[in-house]
Amino acid sequence: MFINFSLLFFFLLLGIIGLYLFSEHQKRYYVLLILSLIFYLSIAKLAFFVLIAFSVLVFISGKHIEKLPGKIHYFAIIFLCLTPLLIDKIYFTSKLQINDYFKLIGISYISFNGLSYLFDIKKGYLKPETNFCLFLLYLIYLPYIFIGPLHRYREVARQFKENISLNNLNFSNGFRLVLWGCFKHWVLAQRLNIIVETIFNDRVTYQGVYVYIGGFAFFLYLYCDFSSYVDIFQGVSQTFGIKLKSNFRNQVYASHSRKHFWAGWHVTLNHWFRDYFFYPLSRYFRTKWQNNILMILTFVLIGVWHELSIKFLIWGMLNACWILTENQVRPYFSSVPNNLKGPLGIVYHITIASFLAVIFRTNDLAGSMKSLFSFSHWQIPYDWVVMKQFIYILPLFVLMDLVNRKAGEKRIDEYVSSLNVSTRWCFYVSLILLIVIMGIPTSNDAYYVRF
């Protein structure tokens, strides 16, 4: 599914006009609901009606889930709500042909948001919603339906009722996020993608060390691409006055351990599995080795959430084993000076993460592993196609890293708003010029949309 930016910004304009004309503040969420429904219908076609049926199912289930007589009924409802996601994963992973008119767009995020709503009601954290329109907006809200982040109902429902407004602050913060996301997408991600596609699509020319270089480039690309879309959609949402969660730590690519990495990567998905899978089951897995098994199982589920395949099962297991190994060996490195731990940790993490990125990206796991570990191909021949992009990317990536480091834990729009006026406008103009001069217009979609 291709995200059409022209269509997206057209709907953004319609939303602004609609909110401007609709003066009743507490019911402005109807404008966003109508906008999201029309947008989804325009791209999902007949699957739109499947989504409505799913929304009705979850809404009705929420009203009765507290009163269910036993666990069998509760698990039956949960399984029923999972059915569209399971069909999507199993059916499409099998590579069977299907009419695009029935392709569910954003089903992973819709399903997980719907399930978190039911889980929170069952736990007593949330009362069932009585307004179906408000609940439907939670499931289908345009800025996060394609690529997240995941949200809990109580976090956004209050904003839908109270925060929707058009003002200078919302416009300014939204513009900053969209501009920053466009820079990362068209300037960094698309140039990195040239390297990735060149290497992984030509197995004959690019072998050995180039497979590893491709993994390194993909590791950086995935951050720039995924986070850029999150920034853009956060900016669109901020324009309406709705603040979405951040899904990435600013410098997550510079993590010093795998545990540190996962604390800042696709945060809302990891928190979902932590809160609704790992923590509830941990009461039954009390010993250390049982807890380790539960962690492996959690990461396996995160892996197969991406795709039901052997490579993602292996990828999930390797992530869990990596963290467990780090926990065991960490005491042996306590004597390393603090001023060396950070830089050495970053090099260590990127080295192994690039290998896991090969597994994540390759379409031929066995062939890529055979080529990667064929040490006769580990010379580094000069290749201008790859080297040229790295030459372009390096100073631009340093620029992004500098901004991320300066921002620290702040969201980019919050950091930029703290700068003086002349510095802010220098920042805006610089990004616009870089996008115009160095950007690569492309129809390549966000990599994570496929999941």
Side-chain angles (χ1 to χ4, degrees), residues 303-350:
V304 297
W305 169 82
H306 291 84
E307 180 185 289
L308 287 174
S309 64
I310 295 297
K311 76 168 186 177
F312 277 107
L313 186 148
I314 293 172
W315 179 83
M317 290 185 65
L318 289 176
N319 272 281
C321 293
W322 187 357
I323 293 175
L324 293 175
T325 302
E326 281 184 344
N327 293 339
Q328 292 296 318
V329 303
R330 185 174 291 112
Y332 298 102
F333 293 90
S334 58
S335 59
V336 177
N338 289 331
N339 61 333
L340 291 178
K341 279 185 179 179
L344 291 177
I346 293 172
V347 173
Y348 140 78
H349 179 263
I350 289 178

Side-chain angles (χ1 to χ4, degrees), residues 257-293:
S257 69
R258 200 56 172 178
K259 184 177 181 180
H260 186 227
F261 172 83
W262 277 108
W265 178 270
H266 208 339
V267 175
T268 57
L269 178 70
N270 300 329
H271 286 182
W272 195 96
F273 277 99
R274 179 197 67 186
D275 295 342
Y276 298 121
F277 182 79
F278 185 87
Y279 283 168
L281 290 181
S282 62
R283 70 185 70 174
Y284 307 108
F285 292 76
R286 298 183 180 277
T287 65
K288 185 176 180 180
W289 72 268
Q290 288 176 334
N291 202 260
N292 290 345
I293 291 175

Side-chain angles (χ1 to χ4, degrees), residues 186-252:
W186 278 301
V187 178
L188 284 172
Q190 295 310 316
R191 289 194 175 277
L192 284 163
N193 192 49
I194 291 175
I195 299 173
V196 173
E197 294 295 314
T198 299
I199 291 174
F200 282 97
N201 290 343
D202 187 352
R203 287 272 312 281
V204 176
T205 305
Y206 299 97
Q207 300 185 40
V209 69
Y210 271 112
V211 177
Y212 186 82
I213 292 173
F216 170 68
F218 182 73
F219 172 69
L220 300 180
Y221 160 76
L222 203 55
Y223 166 77
C224 293
D225 185 61
F226 195 179
S227 67
S228 72
Y229 276 89
V230 173
D231 291 336
I232 290 169
F233 284 114
Q234 275 185 322
V236 170
S237 184
Q238 188 65 57
T239 303
F240 301 139
I242 306 298
K243 186 174 182 179
L244 300 183
K245 278 187 170 184
S246 294
N247 218 16
F248 296 91
R249 190 178 66 249
N250 284 336
Q251 285 186 291
V252 66

Side-chain angles (χ1 to χ4, degrees), residues 112-158:
F112 277 29
N113 279 337
L115 288 173
S116 71
Y117 170 78
L118 295 178
F119 291 150
D120 285 348
I121 291 175
K122 185 65 175 178
K123 292 179 179 179
Y125 298 155
L126 186 69
K127 291 295 181 183
E129 179 57 63
T130 57
N131 185 333
F132 177 71
C133 290
L134 191 62
F135 172 75
L136 182 59
L137 177 59
Y138 161 68
L139 286 186
I140 201 175
Y141 184 46
L142 170 59
Y144 62 56
I145 193 173
F146 301 108
I147 204 162
L150 293 167
H151 281 79
R152 312 296 165 88
Y153 184 75
R154 54 188 171 182
E155 295 169 350
V156 290
R158 177 186 56 79

Side-chain angles (χ1 to χ4, degrees), residues 1-8 11 35-49 51 99-107 110 140-147 233 445 449:
M1 191 279 300
F2 171 62
I3 296 177
N4 188 317
F5 278 105
S6 299
L7 186 62
L8 172 66
F11 274 88
L35 199 68
S36 298
L37 286 171
I38 294 174
F39 188 86
Y40 195 89
L41 179 61
S42 69
I43 62 171
K45 304 177 178 67
L46 294 180
F48 169 84
F49 300 101
L51 171 67
N99 193 320
D100 286 341
Y101 280 80
F102 293 96
K103 173 63 176 171
L104 283 165
I105 308 299
I107 187 59
I110 294 169
I140 201 175
Y141 184 46
L142 170 59
Y144 62 56
I145 193 173
F146 301 108
I147 204 162
F233 284 114
D445 208 353
V449 167

